[in-house]
Amino acid sequence: MSKRNPVYDFKWCPGCGDFGVKVAIEQALAKRSVERSEPIEKTAVVAGIGCSGNLVHMQEGPQPFGLHGIHGRALPIAYGLKSNRPDMNVIVVSGDGDFLSIGAEHIGPQARRNLDITAVVMDNGIYGLTKGQASPTTELEVVTSTTRYGKLDDKMHPLEVYLGLGVGYIVSEMSSRVKQLGEAIKEAMDYPGFSIVHVQSPCTTYNDTYALLKGDEKKGIEPLAKPISEDHDPSDFMAAMAIAKGRSVPIGLLYKRAGESVPAHERLAQAKERTKPRESSVQQLLASMTI
Amino acid sequence: MSKNLVVRFAGEGGQGVVGGAELMASAAAQGGYHVLTFSTYPSQIKGGPAWGQARISSEPVLTPGDYLDVLVAQNRYAYDHNVEELREGGIVVYNSEEFEIEDAGRALGLPADKMAREAGNPLASTIILIGAVAKMAGVDLAAIEDFITKRWTRGRAGDAAIVEGNIAALRMGAVEAEKSGLMLEALEAAPTHAETRILIRGFEAACLGAMAAGLESFIGYPISPATTMLTFMEANLAGEGTFVGQASSEIESIASLVGAGFSGKRVMTSTAGPGLSLMGEGLGLAWMAEIPLVVADVQRGGPATGLPTKTEQSDLISAINPGHGDMSVPVIAPGDPEEAFFAAAKAVNWSERYQGPVILLTEASIAERAQDIVMPDPSTVSRETRVVSTGAVGNLRYDGDTISPFPVPGGPGAYVANGSAHDGQGDTTHLPEVHVKMTERRFAKLKVLNDGTFEAENSGAEIAVMPWGGSKGAGRAAWNELHAEGVNIGWYYTMYVNPLPEALLAELRTKKLVLVPELNYLGQFSGILRQQGVNARSITQYTGLPFKVTDLKSEIRDRMESK
């Protein structure tokens, strides 16, 4: 938004992880703008539904285009936008419910197309906006308003899912590391292909995992979030999968597919160049049906 | 002399029965006749009962024909299940390798496959049958030979041999027919034509109409009977800035179309009933966020998987209200392939003009019908463009109580296109007064779609018939006959079913009774007309097949008498 509407502005809860993601995206876009001399209007933010999606109305400073659509469909909306306008920089903002539950079917197709967009997924392990129901990334046995006996369904491990679906560029980050997250989002936008920045973005009201992620030295609690070792080779799929399967939440660039990444719109342009398809006008097509 | 020849090729899917009817129609069209085809087949690659029908006439035709002059039956089942539609004096040509007809009066058994194999041209059995039928109907064989020569002269090495083989096959069939002595009343000579004519199928016409209006992008998901539009676009929508894509589902289709429309392009998808259901929420988003796009719904039998390859007109209510909430999506429903061309162009233009979703509502029998029409002139099709923001109003994309400038991504006026209730700049708000204003704005935009036209004849009559969509042909044929017989009944028709032209509604409201032939159980269109103050009653049919003119005519008579 470019003009504040204090009467009814959407509000995140104090301490919400999404604040950090918002600032990181603003920083990433500002940096991109300077580096490429690209006007902010060349970026469009496609938002899903949930606390995360409201980010599109919260952005401060220079305003990109935004599309706040329907639950679970941010990725296909981005597909239609980017395919028709490869000149646009398209990012998706989504949450674990929007991206990994109702919208999960859309990850694979964009990965296979290698659609040149960046998805920033704010994972808080809960449905926050609807006040605390279990999401795919809610831990096993956790009691929520939809898991009376404790969550019986296994927890989804998104990084494994992304690797399995063929996503070419995967970052795992934390919302509290605003500067590093901003850098990571900027680099993901630079990657020519489908990239996902998966962010631990705790919900301070329904699933506050800050302490777990950061640990507590005094109490002897190990942090759950651990930087990915510097000697990890991001192009090593099996090594990335081993890290994704580990107990801790890895922080850093998990995977970048080896070799050149040719995004969807380039594949199409190259195929057209290679095959030089016949192009006929409407007039010619009609004339070809002449009796 | 006869004005019509109606031939049905019946057999199993994969036996070329649909192709046989189309080939016969193509040959006759080439010879100058008016033609119209209809086919019905099961939803499987091979097997199952299927038939294709060609009507060939010295006069313009409106329907595939109620009764058959010739039934070509490939097997016993096909004979048993189609012979009752053979008219008195009609002829059966049957595959005598497959079965025998015991009380064969006017029937000719031909081992067409065997004959084709023996002639060294196993693919020519359909042509042998066409030769037999043409001879029986007194059609000039030379014209068909000319067609064969043109059809198979494609600049390839084997062309001459294929042409020769097919002409030999045609003559073989004709010889057998002559030997049988079975003859129909001879078909009148083909008319001559001053204008350039084309043989086009409904789906091709719809695609080309949209392209003539400047369509730039098409994203779809395969579904019978709408897949042909997706594959036609993949093959033909080309050029700078165009995009054609296959989505992973109808949900992805409509969502990506919203993104594509938001991007500034003229966009379209095709689907059928089940897909339209899945698109409901996305269509609501397009309505709410004011994104121009066109969804072509090629109706089939429903609900659920229903009758995937049959024809029905049961999606009208869904088309107008495809999703939840307050909306009224504009719907244009062409009645034949020629109208499909102009309807599709208008659908694209309407979407641009009022900045929202439009449904092009066709049906299996129109999409798959091949018909000869006067070649439309694409240069007469207008290309409307949405009003684009120059940045003068900043980011107030949704400001005001009617259509406002559309900011194109990359240009000035960055805003948030929003599916939640929103304010002028697209930010979410639930304030009652804003929702009231925005709801009224969205409905007010429909007022610019006021250029819908309609047909009206004998409009002084107090009872009128008004079919819609694919029932236009049978409805018109029935009306023509009744009118010629001196029955005082009015004729009305429009393809602009939502919003209906105001002047049409005003006339219809003065009628004592408006009879609406339509292919659904509920009587969907008459219900919509009654809501708008018209005393309309439906004549329904829900067999998966189109109306027969004779049935419709007698039903109209009955209703007029019992009014």
Side-chain angles (χ1 to χ4, degrees):
Chain A
M1 68 177 59
S2 59
K3 204 165 65 182
R4 288 255 152 221
N5 291 313
V7 183
Y8 52 82
D9 268 359
F10 179 83
K11 288 182 181 67
W12 281 322
C13 305
C16 176
D18 294 353
F19 283 110
V21 181
K22 174 189 92 87
V23 174
I25 289 175
E26 286 162 3
Q27 289 176 355
L29 288 177
K31 193 161 181 200
R32 180 186 171 94
S33 223
V34 171
E35 270 183 20
R36 303 190 174 214
S37 303
E38 184 184 270
I40 188 75
E41 290 85 359
K42 290 294 261 187
T43 289
V45 180
V46 181
I49 298 297
C51 290
S52 56
N54 280 295
L55 185 148
V56 78
H57 301 292
M58 311 285 280
Q59 285 189 282
E60 293 173 85
Q63 294 293 300
F65 275 78
L67 201 165
H68 196 180
I70 46 178
H71 198 23
R73 313 303 166 205
L75 279 179
I77 290 170
Y79 163 54
L81 170 55
K82 182 70 184 183
S83 303
N84 281 282
R85 291 289 304 278
D87 60 306
M88 291 293 294
N89 174 44
V90 179
I91 60 178
V92 159
V93 293
S94 183
D96 45 307
D98 190 70
F99 201 77
L100 298 171
S101 184
I102 186 172
E105 72 198 62
H106 304 298
I107 303 169
Q110 314 324 323
R112 296 196 297 276
R113 290 174 179 128
N114 202 22
L115 188 71
D116 187 13
I117 63 167
T118 296
V120 180
V121 184
M122 286 156 256
D123 184 356
N124 58 9
I126 200 82
Y127 282 81
L129 199 66
T130 48
K131 303 192 192 298
Q133 296 77 37
S135 92
T137 54
T138 302
E139 297 285 343
L140 196 65
E141 295 178 7
V142 169
V143 174
T144 72
S145 59
T146 51
T147 52
R148 180 181 180 180
Y149 309 103
K151 193 179 174 218
L152 302 174
D153 302 356
D154 293 338
K155 180 187 175 178
M156 179 196 268
H157 298 281
L159 301 176
E160 292 175 36
V161 171
Y162 302 154
L163 284 164
L165 288 172
V167 178
Y169 190 99
I170 304 164
V171 175
S172 177
E173 261 298 349
M174 258 182 15
S175 63
S176 51
R177 289 163 38 96
V178 175
K179 185 164 175 296
Q180 296 92 330
L181 178 59
E183 287 290 332
I185 293 170
K186 206 231 91 175
E187 280 164 24
M189 292 191 298
D190 287 342
Y191 175 76
F194 188 43
S195 56
I196 295 179
V197 179
H198 191 88
V199 189
Q200 298 301 318
S201 182
C203 173
T204 47
T205 304
Y206 294 105
N207 191 24
D208 193 341
T209 53
Y210 277 117
L212 270 174
L213 288 164
K214 291 183 167 175
D216 192 329
E217 227 173 302
K218 283 179 203 160
K219 292 181 185 164
I221 301 172
E222 282 255 320
L224 194 59
K226 287 182 182 158
I228 294 172
S229 160
E230 274 182 22
D231 59 11
H232 168 59
D233 172 7
S235 70
D236 184 338
F237 180 87
M238 296 313 285
M241 189 57 104
I243 292 170
K245 281 185 168 299
R247 262 207 77 255
S248 60
V249 171
I251 301 298
L253 175 60
L254 177 70
Y255 184 62
K256 181 183 180 185
R257 192 161 44 216
E260 192 195 355
S261 174
V262 183
H265 61 277
E266 286 293 338
R267 290 184 190 182
L268 180 60
Q270 289 174 12
K272 283 182 175 173
E273 184 58 34
R274 199 169 57 240
T275 58
K276 301 206 171 7
R278 181 177 46 85
E279 290 183 10
S280 308
S281 68
V282 173
Q283 183 68 59
Q284 288 166 330
L285 289 165
L286 287 168
S288 72
M289 299 170 183
T290 303
I291 293 166
Chain B
M1 298 291 271
S2 169
K3 292 184 187 305
N4 284 289
L5 171 62
V6 178
V7 186
R8 182 177 294 178
F9 294 76
E12 267 186 33
Q15 283 184 319
V17 293
V18 174
E22 286 180 356
L23 198 65
M24 180 105 204
S26 300
Q30 176 102 56
Y33 288 105
H34 295 287
V35 299
L36 192 156
T37 65
F38 176 80
S39 59
T40 178
Y41 48 88
S43 184
Q44 51 189 310
I45 295 175
K46 289 197 188 302
W51 52 264
Q53 186 164 318
R55 181 176 187 179
I56 296 159
S57 178
S58 54
E59 298 179 321
V61 281
L62 293 164
T63 72
D66 288 0
Y67 295 100
L68 312 174
D69 296 298
V70 183
L71 169 64
V72 180
Q74 290 283 7
N75 55 38
R76 165 71 65 185
Y77 183 95
Y79 173 74
D80 288 345
H81 287 82
N82 290 282
V83 72
E84 66 181 30
E85 288 177 84
L86 192 68
R87 70 164 176 77
E88 209 172 310
I91 299 172
V92 179
V93 177
Y94 65 97
N95 182 351
S96 57
E97 279 178 89
E98 191 71 29
F99 71 111
E100 276 299 332
I101 300 175
E102 291 73 25
D103 55 344
R106 287 172 66 77
L108 168 64
L110 276 185
D113 288 336
K114 193 170 149 219
M115 287 163 71
R117 276 196 307 275
E118 283 171 6
N121 191 3
L123 297 175
S125 66
T126 302
I127 305 212
I128 292 173
L129 294 166
I130 289 173
V133 174
K135 187 72 194 174
M136 289 167 170
V139 175
D140 179 15
L141 282 185
I144 302 179
E145 290 179 11
D146 186 41
F147 165 78
I148 288 171
T149 306
K150 282 186 185 153
R151 172 83 170 240
W152 280 281
T153 302
R154 297 162 295 184
R156 297 181 197 164
D159 282 358
I162 293 170
V163 168
E164 197 183 320
N166 284 339
I167 288 177
L170 186 80
R171 290 177 183 168
M172 281 165 77
V175 167
E176 293 301 318
E178 190 154 32
K179 276 198 278 187
S180 75
L182 294 169
M183 285 293 153
L184 293 163
E185 193 182 337
L187 190 63
E188 281 183 357
T192 53
H193 305 273
E195 288 156 308
T196 306
R197 288 157 61 247
I198 59 172
L199 183 63
I200 195 166
R201 286 177 290 183
F203 74 86
E204 296 167 331
C207 288
L208 288 166
M211 287 164 69
L215 189 79
E216 294 163 292
S217 184
F218 192 99
I219 301 172
Y221 182 77
I223 182 170
S224 297
T227 311
T228 48
M229 290 185 74
L230 171 60
T231 55
F232 184 92
M233 289 299 191
E234 173 71 13
N236 294 301
L237 181 60
E240 189 67 30
T242 58
F243 178 78
V244 181
Q246 178 178 342
S248 62
S249 67
E250 286 89 352
I251 290 176
E252 192 180 79
S253 249
I254 191 66
S256 60
L257 214 62
V258 167
F262 168 78
S263 86
K265 297 288 175 74
R266 291 180 176 83
V267 302
M268 185 176 193
T269 186
S270 63
T271 191
L276 184 68
S277 297
L278 290 177
M279 290 182 182
E281 192 188 14
L283 277 159
L285 172 59
W287 169 266
M288 193 78 169
E290 305 188 22
I291 308 291
L293 57 84
V294 177
V295 173
D297 174 26
V298 186
Q299 295 168 97
R300 64 192 220 183
T305 305
L307 297 166
T309 55
K310 307 289 179 183
T311 207
E312 205 165 88
Q313 299 179 276
S314 49
D315 292 353
L316 181 59
I317 292 171
S318 295
I320 295 171
N321 293 108
H324 62 278
D326 258 344
M327 61 173 161
S328 179
V329 176
V331 176
I332 307 178
D336 55 43
E338 187 169 21
E339 281 188 353
F341 180 87
F342 296 101
K346 187 66 88 178
V348 173
N349 284 332
W350 271 16
S351 75
E352 287 288 317
R353 192 193 304 167
Y354 102 107
Q355 298 179 17
V358 176
I359 307 270
L360 176 70
L361 191 60
T362 77
E363 52 206 78
S365 67
I366 297 175
E368 297 181 356
R369 180 197 300 181
Q371 193 169 4
D372 65 301
I373 64 170
V374 173
M375 183 158 80
D377 179 357
S379 70
T380 62
V381 172
S382 64
R383 282 191 184 192
E384 298 185 33
T385 305
R386 69 193 79 173
V387 185
V388 169
S389 173
T390 57
V393 293
N395 67 345
L396 292 177
R397 191 266 176 273
Y398 301 112
D399 206 31
D401 53 15
T402 186
I403 289 150
S404 51
F406 184 101
V408 175
Y415 73 109
V416 180
N418 198 346
S420 300
H422 48 262
D423 63 11
Q425 63 181 3
D427 280 332
T428 305
T429 171
H430 297 175
L431 290 178
E433 61 270 28
V434 181
H435 185 52
V436 168
K437 186 168 170 271
M438 286 294 173
T439 300
E440 288 171 1
R441 166 193 163 89
R442 288 187 288 271
F443 280 98
K445 286 164 58 194
L446 294 173
K447 293 199 179 99
V448 300
L449 308 179
N450 57 1
D451 55 340
T453 53
F454 62 95
E455 297 176 13
E457 280 180 62
N458 193 30
S459 49
E462 58 184 19
I463 299 178
V465 62
M466 186 168 96
W468 68 277
S471 293
K472 181 190 185 187
R476 179 68 194 199
W479 182 86
N480 283 348
E481 290 182 23
L482 289 165
H483 189 62
E485 289 162 22
V487 177
N488 187 20
I489 184 168
W491 164 261
Y492 288 91
Y493 170 79
T494 185
M495 62 180 181
Y496 302 96
V497 295
N498 191 53
L500 283 160
E502 272 303 325
L504 169 62
L505 272 175
E507 277 196 45
L508 293 177
R509 286 185 187 121
T510 68
K511 300 293 168 197
K512 201 169 195 173
L513 176 65
V514 176
L515 291 168
V516 179
E518 53 183 326
L519 299 175
N520 59 63
Y521 175 86
L522 287 171
Q524 297 191 6
F525 191 42
S526 76
I528 287 162
L529 288 169
R530 285 197 299 279
Q531 276 180 11
Q532 298 181 69
V534 176
N535 185 33
R537 292 288 179 273
S538 294
I539 296 173
T540 62
Q541 178 178 302
Y542 31 94
T543 54
L545 296 167
F547 282 111
K548 282 190 190 301
V549 179
T550 37
D551 295 348
L552 199 49
K553 201 176 137 191
S554 69
E555 186 64 27
I556 292 170
R557 272 188 187 280
D558 288 353
R559 299 289 189 96
M560 287 180 81
E561 279 157 22
S562 65
K563 67 178 186 296

